[in-house]
Amino acid sequence: RSTISPMPSAEVQQWNQLVAGNQQQLASGPVPPETTAWTGTTWKKTWPGVVASDASGQHSIALDLGNARKYVRDETKTDHWIADGLFPPCNYGNGREYWRAYGFILAWPLNVYNVFTDRPLWLWIAICFVQTFVIIPLLIFRWGKGAYCGWLCSCGALAETLGDEDRHKMPHGPKWNRLNMAGQVILAFAFLILLFRIAGWLVPGSFFAGVYESLFNKLPLLNYHFFVDLFLAGMIGVGFYFWFSGRVWCRFFCPLAALMHIYARFSRFRIFPDKKKCISCNVCTSVCHQGIDIMNFANKGLPMKDPECVRCSACVTECPTGVLAFGRYTKRREIVLDKIPASPVRMREMAEKP
């Protein structure tokens, strides 16, 4: 926590004069931007008042326009170190890069902008590492890839809402399944850029830094920022919602999904079928917007373990005979179904049991 220290009397007088001289503008007019200097003081707009820092940037005084409360805060305290680490100061917007907060939800390499930076943002690097290589693997191990893609990811949320009515338009078949590997290529591209980014940090201005800039920003049309983030994720991913379902980006191109496919190989999550109930109607496959041939598993009585599955539950809820159920394997390979079934048919069956 920041400590509040009393101001020397001479400084109090100086601040009082400064406030008194600008009282009217502070109370009714706009506060100058932080680059505007008033008698050697830099001003920042804040709530509920104004923060004025001295030229050294070491101390600041908060001017609460409600009760004129004054205090000095040490800029070197922990909260400022965390704020600078997560949201570096900038000369636009509200004075800090608060947009980086979406990195709390979108992990690397789905969101690369908190790692691919001019200088290392160590807090974000630590957060991204824990997200991508610790938290997400644990979630997938227990609940499958859908624990992130279906429950947390904002891209998936948009796909499950805006693009949900067109889920039956997702193409199926071996030819389309080959395109699933595009995400692995983009994942490799992201790791390659990461290597050049790290080398560029170690040797600023070097060949490695130049290659990083080219691959990430400057290469015409094929740089990562434009081709992956704007073209594939934005134009194709969202633009094709109404022609190829909402999961075009998630299924074919998302680099984080490609990485999670590796984690999913070790997951205990499965969709378990009751073979004797299957009537081979193909409803489950037709509503899968990840292009999985679910009926192929169901009418053979095989647990569905395709790593593309995002646990959207469409196949389970749409099955007219209640064939499918979410579950997992225990350490002893025993099948444990979810206590609350997602299938309406199975819900009715449970309700009818004495």
Side-chain angles (χ1 to χ4, degrees), residues 66-351:
N67 56 23
R69 178 171 51 89
K70 305 176 183 67
Y71 60 86
V72 175
R73 174 172 288 174
D74 187 347
E75 293 285 351
T76 62
K77 294 299 179 181
T78 303
D79 58 343
H80 291 278
W81 178 79
I82 294 175
D84 290 342
L86 294 176
F87 314 115
C90 62
N91 58 2
Y92 59 85
N94 293 317
R96 285 190 180 275
E97 295 178 341
Y98 292 113
W99 59 266
R100 294 189 183 277
Y102 80 95
F104 287 120
I105 300 298
L106 301 184
W108 188 92
L110 179 55
N111 168 28
V112 298
Y113 296 100
N114 289 336
V115 176
F116 294 168
T117 53
D118 293 335
R119 60 181 178 83
L121 299 178
W122 294 111
L123 277 178
W124 278 120
I125 291 174
I127 290 170
C128 291
F129 180 86
V130 173
Q131 284 176 322
T132 304
F133 300 107
V134 179
I135 295 176
I136 291 177
L138 290 175
L139 288 175
I140 293 175
F141 180 75
R142 172 60 179 81
W143 291 285
K145 183 178 141 193
Y148 182 84
C149 295
W151 299 347
L152 299 175
C153 180
S154 55
C155 299
L158 186 63
E160 297 286 354
T161 51
L162 185 62
D164 190 64
E165 291 186 357
D166 299 286
R167 62 168 53 246
H168 60 282
K169 297 179 182 179
M170 175 60 76
H172 292 65
K175 292 183 179 179
W176 286 100
N177 287 341
R178 294 190 187 100
L179 188 58
N180 294 350
M181 295 303 296
Q184 304 291 339
V185 175
I186 295 172
L187 176 63
F189 190 23
F191 271 107
L192 178 65
I193 295 175
L194 177 63
L195 292 177
F196 280 108
R197 176 64 287 179
I198 294 172
W201 284 335
L202 295 175
V203 189
S206 65
F207 164 80
F208 303 107
V211 172
Y212 159 77
E213 288 292 340
S214 296
L215 293 178
F216 187 58
N217 274 317
K218 295 182 178 180
L219 191 67
L221 298 181
L222 294 179
N223 66 78
Y224 193 97
H225 170 70
F226 174 81
F227 185 73
V228 176
D229 224 34
L230 296 180
F231 179 68
L232 292 179
M235 301 178 194
I236 300 296
V238 178
F240 279 24
Y241 270 14
F242 313 109
W243 286 270
F244 293 95
S245 98
R247 289 282 186 174
V248 171
W249 160 256
C250 308
R251 175 186 175 185
F252 297 121
F253 306 118
C254 177
L256 180 57
L259 181 61
M260 289 192 288
H261 291 169
I262 299 173
Y263 300 153
R265 301 291 180 184
F266 305 96
S267 176
R268 291 181 178 174
F269 165 76
R270 298 289 189 274
I271 296 180
F272 294 98
D274 186 346
K275 182 181 178 180
K276 64 179 180 294
K277 289 184 175 182
C278 183
I279 58 175
S280 300
C281 63
N282 206 40
V283 169
C284 54
T285 296
S286 66
V287 297
C288 179
H289 55 181
Q290 288 292 107
I292 304 171
D293 187 1
I294 299 170
M295 192 186 74
N296 183 51
F297 291 92
N299 58 23
K300 294 178 181 177
L302 300 174
M304 203 287 293
K305 58 179 181 178
D306 195 303
E308 287 284 352
C309 179
V310 293
R311 197 175 175 140
C312 69
S313 78
C315 60
V316 179
T317 59
E318 294 295 325
C319 177
T321 57
V323 173
L324 306 171
F326 290 132
R328 62 185 173 88
Y329 281 120
T330 65
K331 291 181 179 179
R332 298 179 179 179
R333 300 296 291 177
E334 298 170 341
I335 297 175
V336 178
L337 300 181
D338 287 2
K339 293 181 179 180
I340 302 177
S343 167
V345 176
R346 295 201 178 205
M347 290 180 190
R348 289 193 296 269
E349 291 174 350
M350 289 182 63

